[in-house]
């Protein structure tokens, strides 16, 4: 069923099936496209584990309906440049930037955003920019070093 | 299905590349989904369940209720939790379960379910439960699930020695574990074989527990462990798993359940809340003589590990000091709250909040330096502590020195003018902890590691212990690569796969690295012995490269001879007696923490500006991961100390089942943490190492409380020490008097 609505995800264009227009982008990415790096931690926009880029801005995929972001450009961890992902992983190893790893995809997206200049960088300290991502293993201090070295 | 290769455990690198697969990531899109229908009442008897309308919803496949789980109860220590209950004993207790072919049908089915309740009076505080005429369980009329007492030393003799008692009552809050990955499980069915894919920190124990139940349905069970998104003590058995197992067995289809954040926080377990009345007595010179503890532990509606957590809280921390006499009297009380469970520190985190504040207060009264007072009273190598712990390597003196120096230097270098509004203070607290617990399971405290040479090349390392992000995979790879002089990329790790791996007790009690490394060392010894035998047999003259030997073995179809299982059981440990006396662990860990806080006296807000954590974790093998555990534990402790709380309304309803209102620390909350390790070698440990998992959280609330006292002269005796509570304490003159002495 074509609705004329599409999404561009990691560079590929997808027609959004009609029944998905009123459903969460998070579920579409995870269940339809099997992009399971996008994690659900809370479903309420508090934890940041489902952070994706919508037209290059980080947003929680659990708060967006597919229909609302129709026509926009979505990037998930799978769509980030390989060399960035490798570099992020190396720095995580160097600084101990993760433990259980469940929040890692969200932090990867935030790190990519910040290292790309992030539209508000400079206005707020790093702490504040990353306050929307929860790591219950609480490796914040280590992640700060990862991000600092990336940016 | 049996041909599916075992799921290899995600390494640090795979997790860093977002490639780790957690239970919810593994569920195929067309899997049958199940959900538990939870009680909206805190205490109520189910009068009637009408599922006709639910079963009429297209796509709904089945409904389960209490009757389907007749006679089945969860609980390792006291089996009292029904899978689905005919009496709701807490807000969110599972009453029924629905399975459907997709989420939409599932939601419609749940909506159509009619459950009639008869409301019962509820008790959500310890006092109400003790005074209540209503029994929460039929078998327990007084709502006291368990009692514990311990008395040691000559209480007649100590009275003449004690010059000063300090005493107070402390309260700690129930908090959800709030791991980021909500509970999820997938059951795959293949005829009579059920395979439970779920992130548990004790998969073998889970299989041990579920197998007799599943056998009663005529099926067999294996457990597979995917990546685990945090547990912190919570992810033991849970009704959601048995619900999926029974649906899968009945429907003969794969079934999955993923809890929402809300359901996970309502029904996912909490840290046990406690009320602790404690007094300690000392001589005028500051020698600690006696300690008396009366403790009430809020079990919640079901027991889980409540009995053990209560006992640990009542006495374990005592082993740090050379007390001559101890009294402990503890009660575990059933309430209509969410069931409590182990949570990093196993009760000692709660009681240390009391003990280390009293020690601090004693130092103030005696005008002694708090670090020196501790230094002159802690146990030393060679001691048998008051509850029978045999102290081996012990770096507590270095920890206390290190923290004391850091505080002194910081105080000197940051001599800020005291403003009327903002006050600065320093605090210090110490702890002792064990590595595993021989008393946990009557059978043994033990670990196995299997090495299996694979037909396609390389060696598979299997263990029943799991990776929670603490570095189990790395410990195993490092140990085996070093011992067998083989390349890391030749090694694959499979953890928590009951079908192909050995049994494991689980990753709790700060035992994993120590136990798996010891078992891996044993496995490597056996492997080398087997390889040597084979080399001689093959007539290979010089000491063969492992790779060469394996090639020959493969050729001759003798790979099976290169499969070995290493075993580790600590020596000299015993199951403690009923008063908790006995050496439960091969070695003990120690530490001291210090911090600097700034208190805004206008608002009561506490900002921790600097934190120091000194640990004796033996010889450090993986510096990054060990350090990471310390920093993470400290920040988690910060939440427990200042902000986190399961807020329960008078109705019993949990008011904050989400991250927005249950304030776990985030980036801006995290102060810089400096980590110090002592130069200790534990001769019973692998390469001199001890462990680190739980310890870093244990002294945090007391450390911050002592700094608050230093800053503003008052204490908040209740966790969390919120701005409001501290503001009230600052503005209430009565509170300034501090703990009462005689």
């Amino acid at each position: 069923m074509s609705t004329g609505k599409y999404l561009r995800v990691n560079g590929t264009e997808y027609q959004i099936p009609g029944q998905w227009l009123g459903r969460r982008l998070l579920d579409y990415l995870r269940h339809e496209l099997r992009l399971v790096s996008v994690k659900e931690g809370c479903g309420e926009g508090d934890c940041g584990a489902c952070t994706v880029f919508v037209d290059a801005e980080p947003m929680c995929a659990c708060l967006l309906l597919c229909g609302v972001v129709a026509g926009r450009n979505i990037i998930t961890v799978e769509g980030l440049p390989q060399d960035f992902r490798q570099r992020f992983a190396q720095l995580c190893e160097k600084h101990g930037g993760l433990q259980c790893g469940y929040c890692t995809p969200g932090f990867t997206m935030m790190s990519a955003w910040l290292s790309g200049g992030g539209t508000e960088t400079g206005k707020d300290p790093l702490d504040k920019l990353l306050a929307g991502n929860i790591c219950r293993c609480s490796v914040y201090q280590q992640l700060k070093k990862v991000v600092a070295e990336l940016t | 299905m049996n041909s599916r290769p075992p799921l290899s455990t995600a390494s640090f690198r795979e997790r860093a590349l977002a490639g780790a697969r957690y239970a919810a990531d593994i569920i195929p899109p067309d899997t049958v989904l199940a959900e538990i229908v939870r009680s909206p009442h805190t205490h109520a008897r189910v009068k009637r369940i009408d599922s006709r309308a639910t079963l009429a919803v297209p796509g709904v496949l089945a409904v389960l209720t209490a009757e389907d789980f007749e006679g089945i109860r969860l609980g390792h220590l006291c089996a009292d939790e029904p899978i689905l209950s005919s009496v709701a004993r807490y807000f969110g207790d599972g009453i029924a379960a629905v399975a459907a072919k997709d989420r939409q049908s599932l939601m419609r089915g749940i909506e159509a379910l009619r459950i009639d309740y008869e409301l019962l009076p509820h008790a959500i505080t310890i006092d109400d439960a003790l005074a209540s005429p209503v029994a929460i369980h039929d078998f327990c009329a007084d709502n006291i699930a368990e009692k514990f007492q311990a008395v040691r030393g000559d209480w007649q003799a100590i009275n003449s020695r004690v010059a000063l008692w300090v005493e107070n009552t402390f309260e700690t809050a129930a908090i959800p574990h709030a791991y980021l990955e909500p509970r999820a499980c997938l059951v795959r069915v293949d005829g009579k074989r059920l395979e439970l894919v779920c992130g548990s920190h004790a998969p073998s124990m889970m299989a041990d527990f579920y197998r007799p139940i599943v056998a009663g349905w005529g099926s067999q069970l294996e457990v597979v462990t995917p990546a685990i998104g945090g547990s912190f003590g919570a992810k033991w058995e849970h009704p959601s798993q048995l619900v999926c197992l029974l649906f899968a067995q009945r429907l003969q289809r794969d079934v999955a359940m993923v809890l929402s954040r809300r359901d996970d926080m309502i029904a996912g377990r909490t840290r046990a809340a406690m009320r602790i009345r404690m007094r300690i007595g000392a001589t005028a010179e500051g020698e600690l003589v006696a300690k008396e503890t009366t403790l009430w532990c809020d079990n919640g509606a079901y027991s889980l590990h409540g009995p053990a957590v209560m006992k640990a809280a009542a006495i374990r921390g005592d082993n740090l000091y050379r007390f001559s006499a101890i009294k402990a009297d503890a009660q575990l009380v059933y309430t209509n709250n969410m069931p409590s469970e182990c949570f990093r520190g196993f009760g000692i985190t709660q009681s240390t909040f009391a003990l280390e504040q009293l020690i601090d207060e004693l130092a103030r009264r005696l005008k002694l330096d708090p670090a020196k007072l501790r230094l002159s009273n802690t146990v030393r190598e060679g001691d048998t502590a008051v509850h029978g712990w045999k102290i081996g390597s012990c770096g507590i003196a270095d920890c206390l020195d290190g923290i004391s120096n850091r505080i002194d230097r910081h105080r000197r270098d940051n001599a800020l003018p005291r403003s009327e509004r903002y006050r600065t203070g320093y605090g210090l607290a110490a702890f002792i902890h064990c590595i595993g617990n021989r008393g946990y399971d009557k059978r043994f405290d033990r670990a196995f590691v299997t090495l299996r040479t694979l037909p396609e090349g390389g060696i598979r390392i299997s263990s029943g212990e799991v990776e929670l992000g603490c570095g189990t995979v790395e410990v195993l790879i490092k140990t085996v690569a070093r011992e067998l002089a083989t390349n890391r990329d030749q090694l694959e790790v499979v953890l928590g796969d009951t079908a192909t791996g050995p049994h494991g007790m689980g990753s709790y009690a700060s035992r994993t690295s120590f136990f798996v490394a010891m078992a891996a060392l044993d496995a490597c010894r056996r492997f080398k012995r087997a390889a040597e035998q084979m080399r001689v047999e093959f007539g290979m003259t010089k000491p063969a490269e492992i790779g060469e030997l394996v090639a020959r073995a493969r050729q001759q179809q003798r790979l099976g001879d290169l499969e070995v299982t290493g075993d580790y059981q600590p020596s000299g440990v015993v199951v403690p007696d009923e008063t908790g006396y006995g050496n439960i662990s091969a070695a003990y860990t120690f530490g001291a923490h210090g911090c600097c806080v700034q208190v805004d006296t206008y608002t009561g807000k506490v900002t921790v500006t600097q934190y120091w954590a000194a640990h004796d974790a033996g010889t450090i093998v993986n510096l990054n991961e060990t350090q990471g555990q310390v920093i993470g534990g400290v920040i988690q402790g910060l939440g427990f100390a200042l902000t986190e709380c399961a807020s329960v309304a008078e109705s019993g309803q949990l008011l904050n089942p989400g991250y927005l209102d249950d304030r776990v620390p985030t980036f801006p909350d995290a102060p810089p943490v400096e980590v110090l390790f002592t130069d200790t070698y534990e001769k019973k440990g692998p390469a001199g190492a001890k462990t680190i998992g739980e310890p870093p959280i244990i002294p945090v609330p007391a450390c911050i409380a002592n700094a608050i006292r230093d800053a503003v002269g008052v204490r908040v005796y209740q966790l969390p020490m919120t701005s409001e509570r501290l503001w009230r304490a600052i503005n209430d003159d009565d509170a300034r008097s501090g703990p009462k002495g005689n």
Side-chain angles (χ1 to χ4, degrees):
Chain A
M1 174 175 45
S2 171
T3 58
K5 302 246 185 189
Y6 72 94
L7 264 178
R8 183 179 289 276
V9 181
N10 296 335
T12 306
E13 209 164 280
Y14 298 92
Q15 286 288 332
I16 312 172
Q19 74 269 25
W20 275 101
L21 288 173
R23 296 173 68 186
R24 302 188 304 176
L25 176 64
L26 171 63
D27 298 319
Y28 180 73
L29 296 173
R30 281 181 61 84
H31 301 150
E32 281 290 295
L33 305 187
R34 298 304 286 165
L35 296 169
V36 293
S37 79
V38 191
K39 300 285 187 254
E40 176 158 4
C42 69
E44 300 175 331
D46 294 330
C47 79
C50 65
T51 303
V52 297
F53 289 167
V54 178
D55 288 348
E57 288 296 310
M59 292 186 187
C60 289
C62 71
L63 297 181
L64 299 167
L65 300 180
C66 292
V68 173
V69 290
R72 315 279 288 272
N73 224 335
I74 312 293
I75 303 284
T76 70
V77 172
E78 290 88 344
L80 292 177
Q82 273 305 319
D83 59 344
F84 175 82
R85 294 178 66 183
Q86 292 293 340
R87 174 114 178 91
F88 178 81
Q90 271 162 14
L91 289 172
C92 278
E93 266 170 351
K94 179 177 169 190
H95 297 295
L98 66 91
Q99 282 171 21
C100 81
Y102 201 78
C103 69
T104 305
F107 277 109
T108 311
M109 296 309 294
M110 288 307 292
S111 305
W113 180 65
L114 289 166
S115 67
T119 54
E120 290 173 61
T121 319
K123 275 194 233 158
D124 279 316
L126 206 52
D127 277 359
K128 221 169 164 184
L129 291 167
L130 290 167
N133 290 64
I134 292 174
C135 167
R136 183 55 165 166
C137 305
S138 307
V139 297
Y140 298 119
Q141 184 169 323
Q142 299 92 311
L143 274 165
K144 207 190 261 189
K145 289 183 189 161
V146 171
V147 176
E149 209 162 316
L150 275 171
T151 50
Chain B
M1 188 183 77
N2 287 317
S3 60
R4 187 184 289 119
L7 188 65
S8 77
T9 305
S11 64
F12 188 97
R13 183 112 189 144
E14 284 167 279
R15 299 199 297 279
L17 289 167
R21 292 292 169 261
Y22 302 80
D25 302 337
I26 292 170
I27 301 167
D30 55 350
T31 308
V32 170
L33 298 176
E35 189 148 320
I36 292 176
V37 182
R38 304 190 173 281
S39 166
H41 306 296
T42 304
H43 198 193
R45 183 167 289 113
V46 176
K47 280 166 57 187
R48 203 173 62 100
I49 298 178
D50 184 349
S51 58
R52 282 170 301 181
T54 300
L55 289 165
V57 171
V60 168
L61 301 170
V63 173
L64 296 174
T65 64
E67 284 171 20
D68 297 288
F69 294 98
E70 200 66 59
I72 301 172
R73 296 285 185 275
L74 293 185
H76 284 274
L77 305 174
C78 167
D80 59 9
E81 185 184 28
I83 313 310
L84 296 170
S85 188
S86 53
V87 178
R89 295 187 178 86
Y90 69 98
F91 173 82
D93 207 351
I95 306 301
V98 181
K101 66 176 185 46
D102 55 54
R103 182 143 295 277
Q104 228 166 6
S105 331
L106 185 62
M107 291 299 116
R108 286 196 189 121
I110 290 168
E111 225 165 89
L113 195 68
R114 291 286 159 266
I115 306 176
D116 294 334
Y117 294 93
E118 175 196 344
L119 301 192
L120 302 169
H122 61 258
I124 55 163
T125 66
I126 289 167
D127 289 336
D128 283 353
L130 289 174
S132 175
V134 179
I136 292 167
H137 291 275
D138 292 340
F139 59 81
C140 182
D142 58 4
N143 292 328
I144 298 173
E146 196 159 330
K147 289 182 183 176
F148 171 78
Q149 276 189 332
V151 183
R152 294 196 223 298
D154 182 351
W155 276 83
Q156 298 291 325
I158 61 112
N159 280 327
S160 57
R161 289 172 60 205
V162 172
L164 178 69
W165 287 101
V166 287
E167 174 177 3
N168 224 303
T169 301
F170 302 84
E171 283 181 24
T172 67
I175 62 169
H177 300 69
Y179 39 75
L180 207 59
E181 179 213 10
R183 284 173 188 274
C185 65
L186 163 68
V187 176
R188 292 167 175 154
V189 60
D190 180 13
K192 289 188 175 307
R193 186 177 189 270
L194 298 171
E195 187 182 74
L196 173 62
V197 183
C198 108
S200 159
H201 65 250
S204 300
M205 301 287 271
M206 179 181 270
D208 289 351
F209 199 90
Y210 286 166
R211 272 180 184 142
I213 298 170
V214 168
W217 308 335
S219 295
Q220 296 108 40
L221 173 76
E222 299 297 347
V223 177
V224 172
T225 307
I228 305 167
S231 170
F232 312 113
K235 288 178 179 167
W236 291 93
E237 294 77 21
H238 189 264
S240 55
Q241 296 140 5
L242 272 176
V243 162
C244 286
L245 283 166
L246 187 55
F247 271 136
Q249 195 267 348
R250 294 237 177 120
L251 297 168
Q252 282 295 301
R253 291 179 63 173
D254 296 357
V255 176
M257 188 181 322
V258 180
L259 267 65
S260 65
R261 171 56 49 189
R262 180 178 184 278
D263 272 14
D264 197 293
M265 282 205 173
I266 284 176
R269 323 306 195 191
T270 62
R271 186 186 281 284
M274 292 185 193
R275 185 200 298 152
I276 303 165
R277 186 182 301 153
M278 192 184 284
R279 62 172 188 155
I280 54 173
T283 65
E285 294 73 40
E287 184 195 341
L288 293 177
V289 177
K291 169 179 175 276
E292 188 172 359
T293 307
T294 315
L295 183 146
W296 296 263
C297 178
D298 183 344
N299 199 22
Y302 304 113
S303 291
L304 309 175
H305 289 89
V309 168
M310 165 194 68
K311 287 173 202 167
I315 62 167
R316 271 209 204 162
D318 308 349
N319 290 297
L320 181 58
Y321 299 108
R322 290 169 161 170
F323 287 112
S324 305
I326 291 288
K327 269 189 204 171
D329 192 337
Q331 295 186 353
L332 180 68
V333 183
Y334 281 121
T335 63
N336 293 115
N337 287 319
M338 185 185 348
S340 69
E341 184 50 285
C342 342
F343 192 151
R344 203 173 195 171
F346 207 73
I348 301 102
T349 316
Q350 287 93 318
S351 55
T352 299
F353 178 61
L355 175 60
E356 286 297 303
Q357 286 197 73
L358 290 180
I359 301 256
D360 189 73
E361 205 51 43
L362 192 73
R364 287 180 179 281
R365 299 278 181 103
L366 295 172
K367 301 197 168 22
L368 292 169
D369 177 85
K372 289 206 179 86
L373 174 86
R374 287 179 174 88
L375 263 173
S376 61
N377 283 287
T378 55
V379 288
R380 294 285 193 269
E381 183 164 357
D383 277 13
T384 297
V386 63
H387 299 300
W389 290 11
K390 295 195 187 312
I391 307 300
S393 62
C394 172
I396 184 65
D398 286 346
C399 292
L400 285 164
D401 275 342
I403 295 302
S404 192
N405 292 339
R406 286 299 190 283
I407 290 177
D408 288 347
R409 197 193 309 160
H410 195 269
R411 210 193 295 265
R412 199 179 56 230
D413 297 347
N414 297 274
L416 300 165
R418 276 169 76 96
S419 82
E420 187 225 346
R421 178 169 177 179
Y422 296 100
R423 304 285 170 78
T424 299
Y426 293 86
L428 184 146
F431 73 89
I432 183 172
H433 201 58
C434 48
I435 300 170
N437 170 9
R438 178 61 190 89
Y440 175 73
D441 191 302
K442 296 286 176 285
R443 295 173 299 172
F444 46 65
D445 193 11
R446 188 173 192 179
F448 303 94
V449 167
T450 299
L451 300 179
R452 185 170 297 155
T453 314
L454 302 173
E456 62 274 23
I459 294 173
R460 179 186 299 147
I461 310 169
S462 310
S463 164
E465 319 299 337
V466 304
E467 172 67 86
L468 291 166
C470 319
T472 313
V473 170
E474 183 60 25
V475 165
L476 282 167
I477 288 186
K478 225 176 201 171
T479 308
V480 175
R482 189 188 57 223
E483 293 300 313
L484 299 185
T486 180
N487 217 323
R488 293 173 65 104
D489 57 19
Q490 288 297 302
L491 303 174
E492 175 200 30
V493 179
V494 175
L495 301 177
D497 183 68
T498 60
T500 63
H503 189 276
M505 309 290 289
S507 294
Y508 56 84
S510 305
R511 63 190 292 284
T512 312
S513 295
F514 193 92
F515 277 68
V516 296
M518 292 300 281
L521 285 171
D522 185 47
C524 291
R525 271 193 297 273
R526 289 168 194 257
F527 188 92
K528 282 190 273 193
R529 213 153 47 217
E532 175 59 19
Q533 235 170 42
M534 201 177 264
R535 181 187 70 80
V536 173
E537 214 181 302
F538 288 167
M540 295 163 79
T541 45
K542 58 178 190 313
E545 288 261 309
I546 295 271
E548 223 176 295
L549 190 72
V550 167
R552 276 289 281 282
R554 189 179 303 120
Q555 235 169 31
Q556 313 220 358
Q557 304 198 317
R558 293 278 303 278
L559 281 181
D561 294 349
L562 288 178
E563 178 175 330
V564 297
T565 295
D567 178 1
Y568 171 67
Q569 278 195 84
S571 57
V573 294
V574 296
V575 175
D577 68 17
E578 72 281 1
T579 70
Y581 189 90
N583 186 42
I584 61 169
S585 166
Y588 296 93
T589 54
F590 301 86
H593 286 191
C595 70
C596 175
V597 303
Q598 188 185 63
V599 179
D600 180 346
T601 58
Y602 288 11
T603 63
K605 183 174 167 52
V606 175
T607 308
V608 178
T609 58
Q610 176 65 48
Y611 205 99
W612 303 275
H615 284 257
D616 167 12
T619 302
I620 307 302
V621 178
N622 293 321
L623 181 62
N624 243 344
E625 279 166 322
T626 315
Q627 232 166 17
Q629 286 297 308
V630 176
I631 297 169
V634 167
I635 305 304
Q636 238 177 31
L638 195 80
F640 184 46
L642 297 175
T643 53
E644 289 173 50
C645 181
S647 294
V648 177
E650 274 178 34
S651 67
Q653 179 177 353
L654 183 67
L655 296 171
N656 57 345
Y659 289 121
L660 189 62
D661 298 310
D662 176 40
R663 284 275 292 108
V664 304
T666 61
F667 251 99
D669 303 311
V673 180
E674 188 190 345
V675 183
L676 315 170
F677 289 118
T678 59
D679 185 16
T680 318
Y681 186 89
E682 172 51 54
K683 59 181 190 291
K684 289 187 176 174
K690 296 197 265 187
T691 57
I692 198 68
E694 294 166 284
I697 199 174
I698 293 173
V700 180
C703 184
I704 294 172
N706 291 340
I708 292 171
R709 167 67 179 81
D710 190 44
V712 290
V714 300
R715 290 179 187 276
V716 175
Y717 299 100
Q718 193 179 11
L719 290 179
M721 299 178 283
T722 57
S723 301
E724 182 182 340
R725 282 180 180 150
L726 181 54
W727 185 88
R728 283 180 193 280
I730 290 169
N731 288 280
D732 171 12
D733 286 344
D734 292 344
R736 282 181 193 278
S737 55
K740 55 182 185 285
N742 63 357

